[in-house]
Amino acid sequence: KAGVTQTPRYLIKTRGQQVTLSCSPISGHRSVSWYQQTPGQGLQFLFEYFSETQRNKGNFPGRFSGRQFSNSRSEMNVSTLELGDSALYLCASSPNNFGGAQETQYFGPGTRLLVL
Amino acid sequence: AQSVTQPDIHITVSEGASLELRCNYSYGATPYLFWYVQSPGQGLQLLLKYFSGDTLVQGIKGFEAEFKRSQSSFNLRKPSVHWSDAAEYFCAVGAKPGGGADGLTFGKGTHLIIQP
């Protein structure tokens, strides 16, 4: 079974631009979560989608948004990019509803975003 | 709010020696606990997880971890490290079902260096 895939793997943008990142979960997984990883703040939870609905959101400004499609693929969007948005963005998928006894999040390789 | 502390930013171990990486968590109820490993330029790979039951859990690559409720700890151990174990190790805590899934809360990570 193929793992979580993320596209693109690398991205360079300039301040003020917007960016869209894509995540394809493991086949059959319905929950997709996004995390931001930076050297200073570490790994931080952005949001989680389940059945096309955002169920949880971390402490990030409204410039960060996302959506999930009926096939469970997810996109996240960052508008009006700032230098501090430079980070590795990780997507993780799990079968149903993260938090269940048998749930585990499987992570993709990430998209590295550089904002100049 | 839940939190995870990994007290050691860097650890250097000789190849063949034993390893213990420390993790302390703060959470109001019984937590879901995880250890992930991240190699340079890669996403996160799950090493092991604790949900309930036996407090000593076995993972992949010869790793094990012990949940100690009285110490709020979930330390990772390996009896004999290999050069390929050099990586960043993250401890994480997640919410139980029904309590709201706020994503995983990660520690800052421990960078493991293997000396020949």
Side-chain angles (χ1 to χ4, degrees):
Chain A
K1 189 182 280 190
V4 178
T5 58
Q6 293 186 246
T7 57
R9 292 293 310 277
Y10 303 93
L11 206 49
I12 300 175
K13 292 287 188 179
T14 57
R15 280 180 300 175
Q17 287 186 310
Q18 75 167 19
V19 67
T20 299
L21 312 181
S22 180
C23 171
S24 293
I26 293 172
S27 177
H29 285 195
R30 297 169 61 191
S31 172
V32 174
S33 297
W34 289 89
Y35 294 82
Q36 181 196 63
Q37 185 179 23
T38 60
Q41 298 300 315
L43 280 151
Q44 294 183 288
F45 171 71
L46 278 158
F47 30 64
E48 186 253 2
Y49 285 87
F50 178 74
S51 292
E52 302 179 61
T53 300
Q54 184 184 92
R55 300 186 314 123
N56 299 293
K57 183 174 169 65
N59 188 24
F60 279 83
R63 300 186 297 107
F64 291 82
S65 63
R67 59 178 175 169
Q68 187 180 34
F69 301 94
S70 59
N71 62 358
S72 294
R73 189 177 70 84
S74 176
E75 291 181 345
M76 68 162 282
N77 184 77
V78 188
S79 63
T80 319
L81 283 166
E82 301 177 359
L83 296 179
D85 297 333
S86 294
L88 180 67
Y89 290 89
L90 292 163
C91 165
S93 76
S94 60
N96 285 306
N97 180 1
F98 178 70
Q102 301 303 318
E103 290 298 301
T104 298
Q105 287 192 330
Y106 296 89
F107 283 80
T111 294
R112 187 164 296 281
L113 172 65
L114 176 62
V115 182
L116 302 175
Chain B
Q2 57 207 41
S3 66
V4 177
T5 301
Q6 294 181 247
D8 304 305
I9 298 174
H10 300 277
I11 281 189
T12 301
V13 178
S14 298
E15 190 169 14
S18 63
L19 170 71
E20 182 169 30
L21 302 182
R22 296 183 291 165
C23 172
N24 292 96
Y25 68 91
S26 173
Y27 188 68
T30 301
Y32 288 170
L33 293 161
F34 306 81
W35 275 100
Y36 284 88
V37 61
Q38 185 177 37
S39 298
Q42 303 296 312
L44 300 174
Q45 181 182 22
L46 178 68
L47 287 175
L48 47 79
K49 60 186 179 183
Y50 172 78
F51 282 177
S52 64
D54 193 347
T55 57
L56 183 64
V57 293
Q58 302 296 321
I60 62 171
K61 304 185 180 186
F63 286 94
E64 67 177 27
E66 186 171 13
F67 171 59
K68 293 185 177 180
R69 184 189 303 274
S70 61
Q71 298 177 18
S72 297
S73 69
F74 189 56
N75 294 348
L76 182 71
R77 300 194 293 251
K78 186 171 184 178
S80 176
V81 298
H82 185 260
W83 64 266
S84 59
D85 293 324
E88 193 83 16
Y89 290 79
F90 294 94
C91 181
V93 64
K96 291 196 72 174
D102 297 320
L104 291 172
T105 298
F106 285 88
K108 294 291 189 185
T110 297
H111 185 61
L112 176 62
I113 300 166
I114 307 296
Q115 281 184 333

